[in-house]
Amino acid sequence: MDIKMKKRLCIYVTYDSENVIDDYIGYMLQEIKKVCASLVVVCNSESISQGMSNLQKYADKIFFRKNIGFDAGAYKDTLCRYLGWDEVYQYDELILANDSFYGPFSPIEDVFWKMEQDGADYWGMTRSFSGIYESGEVSFPSHIQSYFLCFSKAVLHCTEFREFWEKFLYPQNMSLAVFSYEVGLNQYISNLGFRGAALTDFSELSYIKENENPYLLYPVELICLSHVPILKRKSLDLGNPGFRKALEAYEYIKKETAYDTIMIQNHLLRISQSVANQGMISFPDLEKFYHSHSKIFIYGSGIYGNNLAFLFEYFGWTFDGFLVTDSDGQDSKCFIFKETVIEPDDGIILAVGKKELFMEILDNIGTRCSREQLLFPNYFI
């Protein structure tokens, strides 16, 4: 059957703390519309303040709701209430997707064609191998990651699939959302005898180990080797251990594809300045701070600090070293703060990923530096 002839329903969920719909979403909807008979957008907010045209151009229906139960809550409400199963059953396939990724960087039709050849009952872009939750007490099995899932008619029209959603409880936090929806739905469908697949299953993934999130740690490999046509937004977070590879992926997208990376830049620029995005450094403030001080030090040489140093390298900037509380286990680029001369025109960027540690450091250096000498992530202070 021709890819475009399949009668697909796509439910796309978006949420933004400032109620903005960025252009990268409009582009994604434009492309996914090419493989769908009906595109339904659910906003996990009660209104949109900017960018509504990015939805109106492509969506057949738009629903607004409070952000209860995250993406999974929006899917449940749309299937069980907003559309209802009589309407849902008019379709051959169901796509559940959210706004957590940029792309596609190549025709989305190619992905559907490839997965059609495999014949899986449900599929997604990437597979997470088995691992252990952050609590360290419970393990999880290998599963298809839920930011983009496509279900065949056999699954969609299965009574048990409907029962899953009707009985589904709104998760109260993100950990529960992963446990009950992403992992839970995979296990539930698999136990019914259906087979799941991911686009990444068709390429060599020997570089991925258990308990590693592929889209965070290996974004450039996913795009270049596995031909995954998307980049997860979280991969470009300074707290992501795979940030360096995400920047490499961004450069590849910019140079080797027709995708307009200005859409990525504009989104990152906006959210970096939002007071609601805890832990982010404003990119405009960072540039202004860099050019306003004679020397720049980065306080912290962990993941966040090293990623910031790599961002400096990417921008063609220099800095004068890492400042640390003590030198245990540190290299020659690190200087103990209490032993370092800090001049009034020097600047220090506090590059730590945990709010508690950040507050301790801020208290420690505040007696030696003025507020104008410091730049730090937004931690609601």
Side-chain angles (χ1 to χ4, degrees):
M1 179 181 289
D2 188 282
I3 294 301
K4 294 182 180 179
M5 290 179 65
K6 278 283 182 83
K7 192 176 182 182
R8 296 188 185 90
L9 165 66
C10 177
I11 302 174
Y12 182 94
V13 177
T14 181
Y15 169 77
D16 181 78
S17 59
E18 296 180 318
N19 299 329
V20 174
I21 305 296
D22 290 284
D23 291 344
Y24 83 90
I25 293 177
Y27 182 78
M28 180 67 214
L29 296 179
Q30 170 190 294
E31 295 304 295
I32 204 167
K33 181 75 172 177
K34 295 176 181 179
V35 296
C36 293
S38 181
L39 175 56
V40 175
V41 174
V42 186
C43 302
N44 271 352
S45 55
E46 296 182 277
S47 65
I48 295 299
S49 62
Q50 182 181 330
M52 190 64 187
S53 62
N54 281 318
L55 304 183
Q56 293 171 328
K57 287 179 184 177
Y58 311 108
D60 296 292
K61 295 180 180 180
I62 303 172
F63 297 105
F64 298 87
R65 65 189 293 275
K66 293 182 179 180
N67 189 20
I68 300 172
F70 305 96
D71 298 338
Y75 297 141
K76 172 184 171 72
D77 284 351
T78 306
L79 292 168
C80 300
R81 294 174 48 212
Y82 304 153
L83 296 180
W85 291 100
D86 287 344
E87 180 172 348
V88 171
Y89 285 155
Q90 296 177 23
Y91 296 92
D92 299 318
E93 293 185 351
L94 170 68
I95 301 167
L96 301 180
N98 63 32
D99 65 355
S100 66
F101 55 92
Y102 306 112
F105 313 126
S106 58
I108 195 73
E109 299 97 319
D110 293 350
V111 178
F112 279 82
W113 182 87
K114 187 166 189 175
M115 301 312 293
E116 282 282 312
Q117 307 312 302
D118 178 69
D121 297 303
Y122 70 101
W123 60 268
M125 295 289 183
T126 51
R127 177 184 295 278
S128 174
F129 294 146
S130 58
I132 301 174
Y133 290 107
E134 291 183 359
S135 64
E137 298 175 355
V138 181
S139 61
F140 58 83
S142 172
H143 59 276
I144 315 301
Q145 295 182 294
S146 64
Y147 59 88
F148 189 102
L149 289 174
C150 183
F151 303 92
S152 70
K153 187 173 185 178
V155 176
L156 177 59
H157 289 250
C158 175
T159 301
E160 289 84 357
F161 184 75
R162 175 175 177 170
E163 290 177 351
F164 174 88
W165 289 108
E166 290 179 341
K167 294 178 181 179
F168 185 80
L169 301 177
Y170 299 110
Q172 300 300 306
N173 55 56
M174 189 56 67
S175 295
L176 282 175
V178 172
F179 177 79
S180 62
Y181 168 53
E182 179 165 290
V183 177
L185 181 57
N186 269 263
Q187 286 185 297
Y188 183 83
I189 296 176
S190 178
N191 289 339
L192 294 174
F194 293 113
R195 181 175 67 87
L199 183 59
T200 51
D201 292 345
F202 301 97
S203 59
E204 176 59 52
L205 298 176
S206 59
Y207 50 86
I208 302 178
K209 303 178 181 64
E210 287 192 353
N211 222 44
E212 289 187 331
N213 189 326
Y215 66 65
L216 289 181
L217 298 179
Y218 305 104
V220 70
E221 288 88 347
L222 293 180
I223 292 172
C224 296
L225 302 180
S226 297
H227 308 293
V228 175
I230 63 94
L231 178 68
K232 284 284 282 185
R233 287 168 30 177
K234 284 183 179 179
S235 68
L236 286 167
D237 190 306
L238 283 168
N240 174 30
F243 175 77
R244 178 185 291 259
K245 289 195 173 185
L247 271 187
E248 292 175 6
Y250 172 82
E251 274 300 293
Y252 175 85
I253 297 162
K254 184 178 181 180
K255 294 176 180 178
E256 303 296 333
T257 77
Y259 186 84
D260 185 2
T261 52
I262 294 297
M263 292 187 289
I264 299 178
Q265 291 182 34
N266 289 343
H267 175 251
L268 290 175
L269 182 66
R270 180 182 68 81
I271 64 171
S272 78
Q273 300 174 82
S274 171
V275 296
N277 290 301
Q278 189 173 2
M280 295 192 74
I281 290 179
S282 164
F283 290 134
D285 289 349
L286 178 64
E287 183 173 12
K288 181 180 179 181
F289 188 82
Y290 176 79
H291 293 294
S292 300
H293 295 85
S294 58
K295 289 183 179 180
I296 293 289
F297 295 95
I298 297 175
Y299 202 120
S301 62
I303 292 172
Y304 204 114
N306 276 285
N307 284 342
L308 185 59
F310 183 69
L311 186 64
F312 268 48
E313 180 183 331
Y314 180 79
F315 288 151
W317 298 350
T318 60
F319 69 103
D320 292 84
F322 294 103
L323 297 176
V324 294
T325 304
D326 59 68
S327 60
D328 290 347
Q330 307 293 347
D331 59 31
S332 58
K333 296 184 296 182
C334 298
F335 306 99
I336 298 176
F337 173 69
K338 64 182 179 182
E339 298 176 359
T340 304
V341 176
I342 306 296
E343 301 293 347
D345 56 351
D346 293 342
I348 302 175
I349 304 172
L350 278 65
V352 290
K354 293 184 178 181
K355 182 177 180 179
E356 296 75 15
L357 181 58
F358 160 76
M359 295 300 294
E360 290 179 14
I361 294 174
L362 185 62
D363 289 342
N364 183 38
I365 69 177
T367 57
R368 290 186 56 192
C369 304
S370 66
R371 174 63 184 86
E372 290 71 27
Q373 289 181 270
L374 304 178
L375 180 69
F376 44 80
N378 166 35
Y379 280 115
F380 298 150
I381 66 169

